[in-house]
Amino acid sequence: MTTIWHQQTDDFLWDERVFKRDGHFLQSSHWAAFQRANGREVRFGEGGDWQCMTVVERAGDACRLYCPYGPVADDRAGLAAATEALRDLGCEVGADFIRAEPWVPVGREVLAGHGYEPARRSMQPDLTWVQDLAGRTREQVIGEFSANNRNRFRNAHKKNLTVTAGRDPADVEILLGMLHDVADNTGIRQHADDYYRRQAATLLSRDAATLYVVRHEGDPVGAALVYDSPTTRYYAHSGTLAAARSLHPGTVLLATMILDARDGGQDLFDFVGAAPAGDPDHPWAGFTRFKQSFGGRYRQYLGTWEFRL
């Protein structure tokens, strides 16, 4: 059966289908729209037991297909069909190889059996930390927070901390100020400012993201951008001012975003990336401890794989 790979159009609704398969936000039409805003070509394909959004990445004469957290397949047969369809598309566009992060309930040995090889490095985190929200009361969710986090959240008003949520792309400038402060104090490399501006302009206008700001006596001291699907909220980008560290604005901000997700009917809060247990020297170890102080569990993905054409 020949797969027809569609390009994104304004009336091409992919999100409902990918989320029904419990797929990741990075497989959605929303993320595809952001990729198009970055000047990239995206394609959508699907069969009865699989679907995939792939980015056609070109650099000079080189070309590859990249499927962030995809293809999404129901089973091994779906993976085989998706792989064959991707092979056909790769040949059509002149790709050298396929880079994929399959979202399918199989083991790594199955991927190897279909011709995939582990990539040298992961493009997206293959291990994350998540918190379950479905069927739980606010107090049950708060009960998973550490004692310090509970106290800081409940007493935020005593420190004149307030949190607002909105979808005004102009507020991304507040987030940029926080990210610059983090970079200046830690040396962490951030994306270029226009990357965040394009992301805010694309996703906020589609109601696919929310921008949070925490203020102390009216002045911003922290901000975060989260991605939103019908089932899951993703902790994407955040920063707080080093000078406000004693106020713990990041704790109040994150607690609010988790509880808002629960109140809005989302089932899961994905903290997006975590260090493995028992690895205190991992570069993400400190931030992982902060994430884990809100409760939750590990979730393991299959990682990044490549298929040579």
Side-chain angles (χ1 to χ4, degrees), residues 24-303:
H24 195 279
F25 184 85
L26 298 195
Q27 275 291 296
S28 71
S29 299
H30 304 310
W31 193 251
F34 171 60
Q35 293 299 319
R36 281 168 56 93
N38 287 324
R40 290 178 169 173
E41 176 188 348
V42 297
R43 298 286 189 94
F44 297 87
E46 62 184 324
D49 49 6
W50 68 273
Q51 59 196 89
C52 184
M53 187 280 287
T54 186
V55 183
V56 182
E57 299 183 331
R58 302 182 189 274
D61 294 331
C63 177
R64 69 184 173 213
L65 301 180
Y66 174 45
C67 313
Y69 290 122
V72 183
D74 295 341
D75 48 30
R76 182 170 183 167
L79 173 66
T83 302
E84 186 63 29
L86 284 166
R87 184 205 300 269
D88 291 345
L89 177 62
C91 293
E92 176 189 326
V93 301
D96 304 302
F97 66 96
I98 300 163
R99 178 170 288 163
E101 291 156 347
W103 190 280
V104 56
V106 300
R108 293 168 62 89
E109 70 283 354
V110 173
L111 296 179
H114 283 287
Y116 289 93
E117 298 179 354
R120 293 183 179 178
R121 66 183 182 91
S122 294
M123 299 302 295
Q124 305 295 336
D126 56 8
L127 181 66
T128 190
W129 187 258
V130 299
Q131 187 171 25
D132 295 299
L133 306 175
R136 307 182 68 207
T137 66
R138 281 177 64 91
E139 287 306 310
Q140 286 174 328
V141 174
I142 292 173
E144 280 202 22
F145 297 177
S146 69
N148 283 339
N149 288 354
R150 288 196 299 271
N151 290 334
R152 287 163 183 161
F153 172 67
R154 287 171 169 158
N155 296 317
H157 64 284
K158 295 181 180 179
K159 295 185 177 181
N160 295 318
L161 289 173
T162 58
V163 180
T164 57
R167 293 196 170 96
D168 184 352
D171 288 341
V172 75
E173 300 303 323
I174 299 174
L175 174 62
L176 287 175
M178 303 301 150
L179 295 177
H180 293 166
D181 189 78
V182 170
D184 290 344
N185 284 280
T186 65
I188 294 176
R189 294 181 60 187
Q190 308 282 4
H191 293 287
D193 287 358
D194 281 348
Y195 176 91
Y196 300 102
R197 292 186 178 114
R198 283 192 295 270
Q199 197 167 110
T202 303
L203 300 182
L204 293 173
S205 66
R206 299 169 69 94
D207 292 341
T210 308
L211 207 155
Y212 280 82
V213 179
V214 55
R215 292 177 170 85
H216 176 244
E217 298 180 347
D219 295 325
V221 291
L225 182 72
V226 292
Y227 307 149
D228 287 309
S229 83
T231 62
T232 306
R233 168 161 282 181
Y234 299 86
Y235 187 31
H237 308 292
S238 71
T240 58
L241 295 182
R245 185 179 294 113
S246 63
L247 297 171
H248 301 285
T251 298
V252 178
L253 186 63
L254 185 49
T256 301
M257 295 190 298
I258 292 170
L259 292 169
D260 281 0
R262 180 263 166 206
D263 294 346
Q266 289 166 300
D267 298 332
L268 197 71
F269 189 95
D270 190 330
F271 290 83
V272 185
D279 188 356
D281 297 325
H282 192 281
W284 293 354
F287 199 41
T288 298
R289 286 192 295 271
F290 174 65
K291 294 176 179 180
Q292 292 173 334
S293 69
F294 291 87
R297 59 182 172 85
Y298 277 113
R299 182 172 183 173
Q300 181 73 57
Y301 302 131
L302 289 170

